[in-house]
Every structure is written in structure tokens, then in C-alpha cells.
């Protein structure tokens, strides 16, 4: 059995223009000062030169060495924004253009090609950094039709997933060549947002071995999905883990869909660790039971608490819930030490 690694922290929600959130060295020092042992690094040019990391082992070694000076490792690289751009429904073209490099904005075909190349660079960069998992989004072609009126025409979902798989298969192959798993964060707004959609994608990619899951229980709570049973079903494909809390408190006026309310007013809300409804004792037990090999990574998105407070509390929370797994059975001391002849006698054989 493996003991989960951590605590780690996803930097995306903490990046900013002022110290200590403006550079990777300062963020690493800040994370270490809170008790984190690793950082999940967005593939953002303010933090990492992805093209250089994909081609230069010297650059990667220097990056690893700099972080080690603060007592910090990289848990995974993240291409959530680039992954989103692999598949964009036309309804979202304008909104998602801001995620792309300036020279491909306003050109959906060029933007998709740029996003695919970014993912392929991330595969090589992850390999050079000695990482075995990468986190991202799937993008979405079918999402506007997830609860449609009028009803979806026959074949629409199948067509969307066939196209999604066509775009992702070369990326998955690039990650396979690099020896790195692609871990999709199953997230509303993405075509891969629950177990059924993940299975559809697996089927469309021919059960690609590098297509895996970034497990985040908060998105399961907001969909009213059994987040513990999910681990039982999909543990073999869970290769990354966001530790994020949430709560769902429906009333007579709103439920899962939230009525277009702001985050504070919604029935389903993200919360800082320990402030929501997720049973993390049971969840960390599941991860230990199934030998999860990776990092427990804080993702902070609370609608109420200040992010710096959430980050400070989160490191201690994760550390308290991590289970050092047993190296022997609890009842080994009571072993009877009988041999096969005695066993046969006990059963009258």
C-alpha cells in the first residue's frame, strides 16, 4: 500500500501582480512557509516557459533545483485553459478567446491548433521534469445541449464525442510517448463532467491508457453525485486529486442549476476545507484503500473565506487527513503458525 503524498497546492487561484504571488520563486517560498511540500503549476508564461521546458533539460533541471531550495517539488503541470481550447462550442468563442495566445484570437481553427500544440509541449515538459501525471480540462462541444429544449437530435452526442476523441487522441499519444498520464478534471462546463461522460470518452478513444481522471469531490457534490462510490468505480483511472470542499443546500427556490445566482447565493457552493459537507475522513480512507499514487493538492475556490486564510488552513487540514498506511495486518501478532498438515486436520481432510 502507498501513503498519499502531500500537502500540495494548486497555484492558479493565487497568482497575482503583487508579492509573494507574482513569481514562481516567491510563490514557492510562500507555499513552503505554509507547510506545503509541492505545487501544481499552471502552464502560464509568468510561471514557466512551456516551450523551453519541452526542449531544454537544463532549464528543467534548474527549475527543479530552484524549487528544491525552498523544499518544494512540482506535483503536476496544469493546462486547464489550453485543454479548454482544444474543443470550444461556437457559443463560447468570444468568451474563451481570452485564454488563447493573442495571435490566434478570432480564429477558432488556429486557436484549436495552438491549444493542441500546447498540450503536446506539456507532455514533453512533464517528462523532462520527471512528472508522471498532468492535469487539464477536456473542452466541450456538447455542453450547450446537456439539458436541452428542444430535445437533442439523435446522434448529436455521439458526433460530439467522436470529434472530441479525434482531437485528443494525438495528444494522448504524445503523453503516452512521454510516459505521462492525462488527468481530466471532471467539471460542469466540460464534456467530461461525470462518470458516464468519461466512459463515453474512453470508448471513443479506444480505452486509451493515458486518459485518466483528476478527481475533485466538490464537483461531484454540486452535481449530487456519490463522490465516495465514484472512487470505488473509477479508482484505477484516478491519477490526480484536488482536495476541495463544497456544500449543497437546496431550498424551495433553487437547486442544482442555481437559478443564475452568484456564488454566495447558490444552493451549491465551493467552500474552504472543513467548511463544507465533504467527508474527508472517508475520502482519504478510500484513496488509501485503493493505493492512490499521487499528491493531495489543495484547490481553493471558497465563496466566503479569504484565499490566504484558506491556503494556510488547507495545509494543516490535508496533513491531518493523510493516512500513513499500515505495513502489516493488524492481527499479525495472533498468527497461529500452523502448517498445511494442521490446516487439513482442522478441516477434516
Amino acid at each position: 500500500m502507498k501513503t498519499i503524498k502531500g500537502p500540495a497546492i494548486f497555484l492558479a487561484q493565487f497568482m497575482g501582480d503583487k508579492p509573494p504571488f507574482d513569481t514562481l520563486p516567491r510563490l514557492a517560498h510562500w507555499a513552503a512557509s505554509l507547510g506545503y511540500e509541492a505545487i501544481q503549476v499552471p502552464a502560464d508564461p509568468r510561471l514557466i516557459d512551456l516551450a523551453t521546458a519541452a526542449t531544454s533539460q537544463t532549464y528543467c533541471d534548474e527549475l527543479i533545483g530552484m524549487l528544491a531550495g525552498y523544499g518544494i517539488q512540482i506535483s503536476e503541470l496544469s493546462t486547464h485553459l489550453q485543454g479548454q481550447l482544444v474543443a470550444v462550442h461556437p457559443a463560447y468563442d468570444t468568451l474563451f478567446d481570452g485564454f488563447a495566445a493573442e495571435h490566434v484570437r478570432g480564429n477558432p481553427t488556429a486557436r484549436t491548433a495552438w491549444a493542441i500544440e500546447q498540450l503536446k509541449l506539456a507532455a514533453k515538459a512533464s517528462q523532462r521534469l520527471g512528472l508522471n501525471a498532468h492535469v487539464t480540462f477536456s473542452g466541450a462541444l456538447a455542453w450547450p445541449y446537456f439539458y436541452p429544449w428542444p430535445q437533442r437530435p439523435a446522434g448529436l452526442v455521439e458526433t460530439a464525442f467522436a470529434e472530441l476523441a479525434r482531437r485528443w487522441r494525438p495528444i494522448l499519444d504524445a503523453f503516452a510517448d512521454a510516459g505521462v498520464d492525462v488527468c481530466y478534471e471532471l467539471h460542469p462546463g466540460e464534456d467530461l463532467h461525470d462518470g458516464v461522460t468519461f466512459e463515453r470518452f474512453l470508448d471513443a478513444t479506444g480505452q486509451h491508457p493515458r486518459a485518466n481522471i483528476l478527481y475533485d469531490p466538490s464537483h461531484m457534490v454540486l452535481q449530487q453525485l456519490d463522490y465516495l462510490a465514484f472512487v470505488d468505480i473509477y479508482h484505477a483511472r484516478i491519477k490526480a486529486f484536488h482536495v476541495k470542499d463544497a456544500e449543497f443546500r437546496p431550498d424551495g427556490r433553487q437547486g442544482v442549476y442555481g437559478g443564475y445566482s452568484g456564488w454566495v447565493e447558490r444552493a451549491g457552493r465551493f467552500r474552504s476545507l472543513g467548511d463544507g459537507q465533504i467527508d474527508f475522513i472517508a475520502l482519504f480512507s478510500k484513496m488509501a484503500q485503493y493505493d492512490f499514487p499521487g499528491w493531495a493538492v489543495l484547490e481553493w475556490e471558497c465563496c466566503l473565506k479569504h484565499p490566504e486564510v484558506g491556503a494556510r488552513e488547507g495545509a494543516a487540514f490535508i496533513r491531518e487527513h493523510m493516512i500513513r498506511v499500515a505495513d502489516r495486518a493488524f492481527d499479525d501478532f495472533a498468527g497461529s503458525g500452523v502448517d498445511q498438515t494442521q490446516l487439513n486436520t482442522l478441516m477434516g481432510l
Side-chain angles (χ1 to χ4, degrees):
M1 294 174 69
K2 300 180 181 71
T3 295
I4 196 170
K5 295 180 287 189
I9 186 170
F10 187 27
L11 296 182
Q13 285 80 20
F14 298 96
M15 295 165 54
D17 298 327
K18 296 179 180 179
F21 307 111
D22 56 338
T23 69
L24 187 59
R26 288 187 179 126
L27 279 161
H29 177 68
W30 167 75
S33 73
L34 298 179
Y36 291 100
E37 297 182 6
I39 51 177
Q40 192 174 85
V41 180
D44 184 295
R46 293 171 291 176
L47 301 185
I48 185 171
D49 185 328
L50 195 58
T52 302
T55 56
S56 171
Q57 191 60 50
T58 299
Y59 174 84
C60 290
D61 290 344
E62 289 175 350
L63 186 60
I64 292 168
M66 179 273 291
L67 294 174
Y70 297 105
I72 288 290
Q73 303 177 53
I74 298 176
S75 62
E76 300 93 6
L77 296 181
S78 153
T79 54
H80 281 79
L81 301 187
Q82 295 94 327
Q84 183 75 64
L85 298 182
V86 169
V88 176
H89 187 279
Y92 300 108
D93 266 339
T94 302
L95 292 173
F96 282 144
D97 242 7
F99 291 174
E102 237 177 281
H103 69 279
V104 298
R105 292 175 187 171
N107 185 337
T109 301
R111 184 184 63 208
T112 299
W114 174 83
I116 290 171
E117 181 59 25
Q118 287 284 295
L119 267 294
K120 291 179 178 179
L121 290 174
K124 294 177 181 177
S126 295
Q127 182 183 37
R128 290 189 182 279
L129 289 165
L131 306 175
N132 53 27
H134 179 79
V135 297
T136 193
F137 279 148
S138 67
L141 298 173
W143 179 254
Y145 308 103
F146 89 104
Y147 195 81
W149 177 253
Q151 289 301 310
R152 290 185 294 262
L156 184 145
V157 171
E158 291 77 9
T159 300
F161 275 82
E163 176 63 18
L164 192 68
R166 186 191 69 79
R167 297 185 190 188
W168 272 103
R169 201 174 289 111
I171 301 170
L172 290 166
D173 289 343
F175 275 91
D177 291 342
V180 180
D181 289 316
V182 178
C183 304
Y184 296 100
E185 181 169 0
L186 305 185
H187 190 296
E190 310 299 318
D191 279 346
L192 274 58
H193 56 269
D194 59 11
V196 171
T197 52
F198 179 70
E199 290 176 22
R200 283 184 183 274
F201 182 72
L202 276 183
D203 288 343
T205 62
Q207 299 292 313
H208 201 292
R210 294 296 175 176
N212 290 287
I213 295 170
L214 163 56
Y215 174 73
D216 182 335
S218 69
H219 301 304
M220 312 301 178
V221 170
L222 267 56
Q223 295 180 74
Q224 287 297 278
L225 189 157
D226 187 330
Y227 58 90
L228 294 176
F230 185 96
V231 180
D232 290 327
I233 298 167
Y234 298 107
H235 59 86
R237 292 277 183 171
I238 295 174
K239 301 295 179 66
F241 178 23
H242 271 176
V243 187
K244 190 171 72 175
D245 211 344
E247 62 185 355
F248 182 68
R249 304 182 186 280
D251 57 29
R253 300 174 63 240
Q254 64 173 333
V256 170
Y257 301 114
Y260 299 116
S261 299
W263 273 115
V264 174
E265 294 81 26
R266 292 184 193 182
R269 311 189 297 183
F270 297 134
R271 300 300 309 276
S272 277
L273 293 183
D275 294 345
Q277 296 171 335
I278 292 174
D279 183 351
F280 283 103
I281 292 175
L283 182 52
F284 273 80
S285 296
K286 290 280 187 189
M287 302 304 264
Q289 174 185 344
Y290 291 117
D291 252 2
F292 173 67
W295 289 87
V297 182
L298 169 76
E299 184 182 23
W300 177 91
E301 289 183 342
C302 185
C303 62
L304 298 175
K305 186 170 285 183
H306 192 280
E308 293 180 49
V309 176
R312 186 181 68 247
E313 294 177 348
F317 186 94
I318 291 173
R319 195 176 298 281
E320 289 168 3
H321 283 79
M322 288 170 55
I323 296 172
R324 180 183 176 187
V325 297
D327 56 5
R328 58 183 175 84
F330 74 93
D331 56 355
D332 279 355
F333 74 93
S336 60
V338 299
D339 60 21
Q340 188 62 49
T341 299
Q342 290 170 305
L343 292 175
N344 291 345
T345 300
L346 288 169
M347 292 183 289
L349 301 177

